[in-house]
Every structure is written in C-alpha cells, then in structure tokens.
Amino acid sequence: MCGIIGYIGEKKVSDVLVKGLSRLEYRGYDSAGIAVLNEDGISVFKEAGKLSQLKQMIHGVELTGHLGIAHTRWATHGEPSQRNAHPHTDCTETVAIVHNGIIENHEEIRASLIRQGHEFRSDTDSEVIAHLIEEYHVKKGMSLVQAVRVMLGQLEGSYALCAISQKDLNQFVAARNGSPLVVGVGRGENLVASDAPALLDHTRHVIFLDDHQMAVIKRDSVEIFDQHGKPVKHEVHRIDWDADEASKQGYDHFMLKEIEEQADMVERILRTRLRGELSEHLFDVLKFDQSEFNNVERIVIQGCGTSWHAALIGKFLFEALAGLPTEVDVSSEFRYRHLVYQPNTLVLSITQSGETIDTLMGVRRGKSQTYKTVSICNVLGSTIARESDGVIYTQAGPEIGVASTKAYLAQMTILILLSLYFGKTRNKISGSIYDEFVSELRTIPSKLKQVIQEKEKIREIALKYYEARDFLFLSRGINYPNAHEGALKIKEIGYIHATGHPAGEMKHGPIALIDEKMPVVCIAVRSSVYEKMISNIREVKARHGKVIAIATEGDSSIKSIVDDCVYIPACSEFLSPLLVAVPLQYLAYYVSVLRGNDVDQPRNLAKSVTVE
Ligand code: G6P
C-alpha cells in the first residue's frame, strides 16, 4: 500500500508529481506529500488527508526545480497525520525519502540512531531510512548511491523507496524489495512509480525492478544495479494501456466507469482468447510444458477479497465442467495451513493487483510444495505475475476504484475459459458442448449491456434501502459466491453491515435476524437450484423481511412474492455469475452515493494490500 513517484526531467516537477499521485491515490489516501529539489535546497510540502489537501497547500506556491519525489500514504506505523506524512528528511535536511513497505527492524535502528544524536520527527518506520542515509552520505561523505546501498544492507522488511539529496542535483535513487516499483523510460526525462498508470502520461516504456535491485535515475539515463552494485541488464516493456483508461472520462466515479465498461471488456477478452484454438491463446506466460498443465489432477485456488469470490466460482466451474477436484482457500489461511501433499496439484492464484502480500506468499507456499503455480492477474509485470510459473492476464485495463468490479468479471471470464479448456482436454465435455458454451459466451457482452439498462431501476431500489443498518445476501449453487460479493461491496463502499450466505444455511442462524426492516437480496436466477431458492424467499417473506430479487427475464411469477425485482437476461447457469454481479455492483454504488460516501476511496481501505 502507499504510492510513490520520483521524476527528473524538463517538465515542472510539482505538476508531474501531483498528477502522478492522483493516479496512485487508490493505493492509500491518509496523507500526501512532495519534495522538490533545486539549488536552494529541498522544499517539502505534506498534508494529512487526501491529495486535494496537498493541492490546496501548494496552490500558488512557485516551486522551481526538475527533480522530485512524492508519496500517498496508507498508514501502518504512526497515525495518519501531517507529521507522519512522507517525504521524510534527515536531521540536516540534505536528504529526503519516500517509502512504501514496512521496515521490520526500525525500532532497533531508530534506537541506535538516537544514541548517535539523530532527532526523529515522526512515528513512522520509514524515517530511519533518511537518517541512515544521512549517516553515510552527509557524515561519512559517501555518494548518495553508495550511501543508499550501504543503508539497504541494514534494512529488514519490505520497501520500494526513492531518495534525493541536496548534494546531487542530477539524479535520484530508487530501490525495491517486496514492494512494487516500475521505472518509466522517457525522452530527456525518467520516472519511477509504484504502478504503471502513474507513468503513462509521460511514457509507455517501462522497466519492472526486481527485488534487491536499485536504480539510478538521471535525466538521460537509467542504470539498474543488484545489491552488490553490479550493473544488471534490464528489459524495457511496452505498456498497452492508455493514460485515458486511468481517467474518469466524464463519469462521476471510477467505479461507475469501471462497471459500465465491463461489456466491452468481456468482448475484448473473448476476442483475444478465442481467436483460434483456445489452447494457443490461453497463457501469456508459461515457464513449463503445457502437457504438465494438462495432466493436473487437483486445483487449489487462492486469493483475497473479491478475487477469493471469483475463486469460489472457479470451483463450481472446474468441478462441473472439467471433473477436476478443486479446493479454494483465502490466501491468508492457505499460506499458513497444513497442506497435505498430492502430486499433480496446480496452485491457481487470482489477483487483480498482483501485489497482495498474502496471495504472493500463497504462490511461494505452493512453490515450496513443488506445485506448479499459475496466476490470473490484471497487472502486467506485477510481483505475482513474475513469480508464478504461468500467467493469464485478465486484460481488464487499469482498475482504479478501490472496490473491485471489472477485474472480478474479467477473472470469472478467464475461469470459464479455463474450465472449458480443461473440460475439453480431459474429455469431460464434447466438442459440440464446448462449441455451444463458446457461442453462448459470445452473447454475454450484449447481455451485459442489457443489464446496464436496468441501472435506473436499481437506483430506485437503493433509494428505498440506503438507510438500512444491515443487509443479507442469499444465493445457491454457482451464484452463492456472488452473495458474498454483494455483501462485500455494500460493506466496502456503503459502510453497511452485510453478510452473504448460501441460502440453505439461512435456517441455521441468519433467519433470526430477519424482521420487517431487513433488506434481503436473493439471487434467484433460473438454474438447477431455482425452486429451492424460491422456498428460501418464501421463508424470508414469512418473517416479513424485504426481498430484493435478482431473477431471470421472463420470470413473472417471482414478482408477486418479492418486494423488488431486477431482471437479467436468460443464460446458462454456468455463465450467469457474470450477469448477476452487475446489479450487485450498481446496488452498492448507488447506496454509497446516496449515503454521501467516498465511492472510489472508501475509508480505511486500499486497493493494493501489501501488508499482512
Ligand atoms: C483489497 C481490495 C479488494 C480486492 C482485494 C484483493 O482488499 O480493496 O477490492 O479484491 O484487495 O486484491 P487483489 O489485487 O489481490 O485482487
């Protein structure tokens, strides 16, 4: 969590940094700050709260200079406040740093630095970095590059950091270990940021730093070194995302834009993956023989948050369409639980950001068991993508709203394709059934557009219930994970207590919560468990609960037993989670707007969770 950016070049550095921070604000928004270097020294501006506070602070200030660093924070050590905001400087204000990660041995280092006379001005773990650099660079006279290298040798924990020095106007230094960092290679300018969208206004050419690497960034050059100071060869990648994709393009919120681009996105994914034989276009990276993949006998899927919900849907798909035994685990549990070894197990990791620490540790856990690891990931070159043995990119484009929407649909789309692939290679589905699925899949984008037409209806429902204190979400079968997802969305951005349950479990507890004030969202689309779901709806109504149903177009009978109803177009049960998710996203969106919440940057959350 936290976003950092560094820039050197001709442009007005404060503008570049502030714009870059606005692209990174999804990573944390407890405080923001910039440090700009010029011949008079380092000017630091930082403020608690969102980036808008910092913008107000520097409005009208003439900041000259062409080199600077900036930070947007998600607090870990030290409360969100101005004093804990980055950049941090050393005692002599010669050096300024920004840091994303956690320095685990900061207390020990801090105590030793205090004994040597250093004065600390914040409660953060990060400030030790500035003082350590001071020790070597200011006191012992080492160059900034040397001082950073020696300093890094003392740190335990994770970091992506940038450092500038008043004694060196021509370069800055960046380093990573465990937190992401991307170098943007421009013309007469170079940048570093936590994530590619912050660079796209300036360049599409990027270098993904690896752990224990350090970059020395000058106006006309980028040099990468390993921890021993040995130059490292690096590959320059081209990013296909457009800078515009990371902007609101006239929508009120990123979340709304991201919900509404899902139809085009699914169409794009299908176009890329189904442009010939699925087997040829399935993987973007595969570091082992595809036949090994085909011989998998068990899948363990792991992920967090919304990605975990996609994983739960994946289990239904793999078991039903490919006859593959599948386990699903939340990554924070998977990484610590006792694993029973079984040969030919595939660890499939699902992650939008590719940086979630628990999911990353789950990948490493899988590898430690000698399992092959494949990830379904959205962010190109992210740590999980690079550490996995195989990668299928979801190609959802940048997702900025903190609550995940389009990444979820993209993950489900890939899982459907993967299960069809396994179904076919394992002879569990015939060629004609496969073809039927594929042709129905191709109708999903237009069906998604139809669901989007229902948004006004969903807004009216939100108007009726946005003041509720609790929400229940019930479903069965392949859509039961969507009950969890609906509840998560309402919690994340509505700040309303909500829980999702398999509807059959309602009688074992949740039913006690039902009274005339309780909105219960019941996913009752046509499926093998439809009748059971209708019985559950009747049980809720018998206790005077308010039922909001998500049903299949043409199901007129359901209307008479529920309070409100949103229809989705008819489709195969296996594809229905794609359509069901959208009304749930809209419901949370409108509830959040009506409650006056910050839709895109809900309190206490961050999009990329790089702490345990
Ligand atoms: C955070 C985000 C969620 C996301 C989860 C997992 O909690 O707010 O929207 O689902 O992390 O993130 P990942 O990037 O691994 O999918």
Side-chain angles (χ1 to χ4, degrees):
M1 311 155 107
C2 300
I4 67 171
I5 179 163
Y7 175 81
I8 183 164
E10 271 310 310
K11 294 176 187 144
K12 192 176 172 203
V13 68
S14 51
D15 291 351
V16 174
L17 294 177
V18 169
K19 181 96 188 273
L21 285 185
S22 72
R23 304 263 197 230
L24 293 173
E25 219 187 353
Y26 72 88
R27 300 178 67 85
Y29 29 83
D30 289 333
S31 63
I34 61 171
V36 174
L37 182 63
N38 58 39
E39 270 139 25
D40 304 327
I42 298 177
S43 311
V44 177
F45 293 87
K46 48 190 187 179
E47 190 55 287
K50 297 198 168 163
L51 181 59
S52 50
Q53 304 294 117
L54 176 72
K55 279 187 187 161
Q56 264 179 30
M57 184 184 220
I58 60 174
H59 183 72
V61 178
E62 200 40 56
L63 272 172
T64 56
H66 297 283
L67 167 54
I69 55 177
H71 188 272
T72 179
R73 179 166 188 250
W74 188 86
T76 55
H77 292 64
E79 56 167 13
S81 63
Q82 190 187 33
R83 90 186 223 103
N84 288 331
H86 297 220
H88 293 290
T89 50
D90 67 310
C91 301
T92 63
E93 306 209 333
T94 308
V95 170
I97 64 99
V98 288
H99 167 231
N100 164 211
I102 293 181
I103 306 304
E104 284 159 9
N105 58 341
H106 73 103
E107 280 175 357
E108 200 182 308
I109 300 177
R110 190 182 180 108
S112 138
L113 286 166
I114 289 173
R115 281 196 298 277
Q116 292 170 65
H118 288 263
E119 279 177 28
F120 280 76
R121 288 172 294 224
S122 79
D123 311 312
T124 64
D125 54 331
S126 312
E127 196 184 340
V128 297
I129 297 170
H131 293 274
L132 278 176
I133 299 177
E134 176 190 351
E135 269 301 301
Y136 303 115
H137 179 52
V138 182
K139 291 197 187 160
K140 300 204 170 94
M142 288 181 191
S143 70
L144 178 66
V145 177
Q146 252 184 320
V148 170
R149 185 171 300 124
V150 177
M151 179 277 300
L152 292 177
Q154 289 182 242
L155 300 186
E156 282 168 24
S158 59
Y159 53 78
L161 58 88
C162 291
I164 57 174
S165 161
Q166 214 192 105
K167 300 205 302 182
D168 203 340
L169 296 178
N170 298 320
Q171 62 182 17
F172 70 97
V173 180
R176 89 157 257 178
N177 181 35
S179 300
L181 207 52
V182 190
V183 179
V185 185
R187 287 208 183 133
E189 61 179 356
N190 288 305
L191 312 85
V192 162
S194 301
D195 198 358
L199 309 171
L200 292 178
D201 290 308
H202 313 280
T203 179
R204 281 165 176 253
H205 296 103
V206 302
I207 301 165
F208 298 109
L209 280 196
D210 278 327
D211 280 351
H212 305 295
Q213 288 186 342
M214 200 170 110
V216 178
I217 316 285
K218 297 186 179 146
R219 197 174 285 214
D220 295 309
S221 70
V222 172
E223 291 170 289
I224 317 278
F225 299 95
D226 69 10
Q227 67 215 92
H228 310 294
K230 225 172 104 199
V232 177
K233 275 205 180 143
H234 50 261
E235 205 181 325
V236 179
H237 298 263
R238 197 187 135 80
I239 299 271
D240 290 331
W241 292 355
D242 208 297
D244 270 1
E245 282 188 74
S247 67
K248 282 192 209 154
Q249 294 171 1
Y251 283 90
D252 287 346
H253 299 98
F254 277 110
M255 183 177 177
L256 187 60
K257 169 182 168 254
E258 287 160 6
I259 293 174
E260 301 201 348
E261 62 194 22
Q262 293 180 115
D264 290 342
M265 175 200 74
V266 171
E267 212 245 305
R268 191 175 61 233
I269 297 172
L270 296 178
R271 208 182 324 122
T272 332
R273 299 291 169 197
L274 293 171
R275 61 181 188 267
E277 278 296 307
L278 180 54
S279 54
E280 286 164 26
H281 303 287
L282 196 53
F283 290 101
D284 296 293
V285 177
L286 194 61
K287 300 177 193 159
F288 59 97
D289 202 292
Q290 197 151 337
S291 61
E292 240 184 291
F293 183 75
N294 298 347
N295 290 336
V296 156
E297 281 165 17
R298 182 179 72 131
I299 302 188
V300 178
I301 322 181
Q302 57 123 9
C304 301
T306 293
S307 297
W308 174 57
H309 299 156
L312 290 168
I313 288 173
K315 176 179 165 69
F316 280 89
L317 292 165
F318 289 133
E319 292 184 342
L321 301 181
L324 258 173
T326 306
E327 281 173 35
V328 178
D329 219 339
V330 171
S331 304
S332 51
E333 292 298 319
F334 175 70
R335 59 180 289 198
Y336 292 117
R337 87 174 148 95
H338 183 82
L339 300 178
V340 179
Y341 179 79
Q342 253 179 274
N344 298 328
T345 294
L346 173 78
V347 174
L348 185 63
S349 306
I350 305 187
T351 171
Q352 187 283 131
S353 61
E355 300 295 343
T356 304
I357 192 74
D358 285 320
T359 313
L360 173 62
M361 292 305 166
V363 173
R364 291 186 184 163
R365 185 85 204 279
K367 284 185 148 184
S368 74
Q369 302 280 308
T370 69
Y371 293 148
K372 289 285 177 266
T373 56
V374 168
S375 63
I376 297 177
C377 181
N378 195 36
V379 177
L380 183 78
S382 56
T383 309
I384 292 173
R386 281 183 300 147
E387 291 204 13
S388 304
D389 302 314
V391 188
I392 304 175
Y393 284 113
T394 43
Q395 300 169 328
E399 189 181 66
I400 309 294
V402 165
S404 186
T405 51
K406 64 175 179 171
Y408 182 51
L409 257 75
Q411 292 163 350
M412 288 193 270
T413 308
I414 298 293
L415 286 165
I416 292 167
L417 292 173
L418 249 185
S419 60
L420 290 176
Y421 170 84
F422 274 125
K424 210 171 159 195
T425 46
R426 292 165 58 83
N427 291 322
K428 296 290 174 191
I429 50 172
S430 65
S432 60
I433 300 231
Y434 172 89
D435 291 344
E436 265 175 46
F437 266 115
V438 168
S439 58
E440 200 187 343
L441 205 41
R442 291 191 200 276
T443 68
I444 290 292
S446 67
K447 289 179 177 169
L448 282 167
K449 284 188 184 146
Q450 267 177 267
V451 182
I452 289 171
Q453 304 294 316
E454 291 289 291
K455 68 177 172 184
E456 191 45 40
K457 167 91 195 150
I458 304 168
R459 202 181 72 84
E460 282 164 22
I461 296 173
L463 256 170
K464 277 170 80 173
Y465 300 108
Y466 76 96
E467 286 175 314
R469 281 187 44 200
D470 309 273
F471 264 85
L472 279 183
F473 290 77
L474 302 178
S475 189
R476 282 174 175 261
I478 194 166
N479 271 301
Y480 124 69
N482 261 333
H484 282 319
E485 178 61 8
L488 178 66
K489 289 275 121 9
I490 286 276
K491 282 186 275 201
E492 282 180 302
I493 60 169
Y495 310 155
I496 298 176
H497 172 256
T499 52
H501 302 275
E505 275 294 292
M506 183 180 61
K507 291 185 278 300
H508 302 289
I511 200 163
L513 297 168
I514 293 173
D515 61 15
E516 67 288 348
K517 290 199 203 94
M518 176 69 89
V520 186
V521 178
C522 295
I523 302 165
V525 292
R526 291 275 185 215
S527 70
S528 50
V529 286
Y530 173 76
E531 296 301 338
K532 306 265 174 235
M533 200 55 222
I534 294 297
S535 305
N536 296 132
I537 289 177
R538 289 191 189 281
E539 288 157 10
V540 174
K541 282 314 298 171
R543 276 125 193 120
H544 310 294
K546 298 274 181 280
V547 173
I548 304 156
I550 299 178
T552 306
E553 211 170 43
D555 181 357
S556 48
S557 60
I558 198 170
K559 259 192 152 168
S560 59
I561 57 167
V562 301
D563 297 85
D564 297 279
C565 187
V566 181
Y567 286 112
I568 62 159
C571 74
S572 145
E573 181 170 356
F574 294 108
L575 308 186
S576 66
L578 290 165
L579 303 182
V580 166
V582 180
L584 301 173
Q585 296 167 347
Y586 272 125
L587 180 65
Y589 172 76
Y590 287 123
V591 163
S592 177
V593 170
L594 288 162
R595 288 170 73 99
N597 296 349
D598 191 332
V599 174
D600 286 331
Q601 296 178 342
R603 68 186 180 203
N604 304 339
L605 297 176
K607 189 150 188 70
S608 186
V609 180
T610 53
V611 292
E612 271 192 62

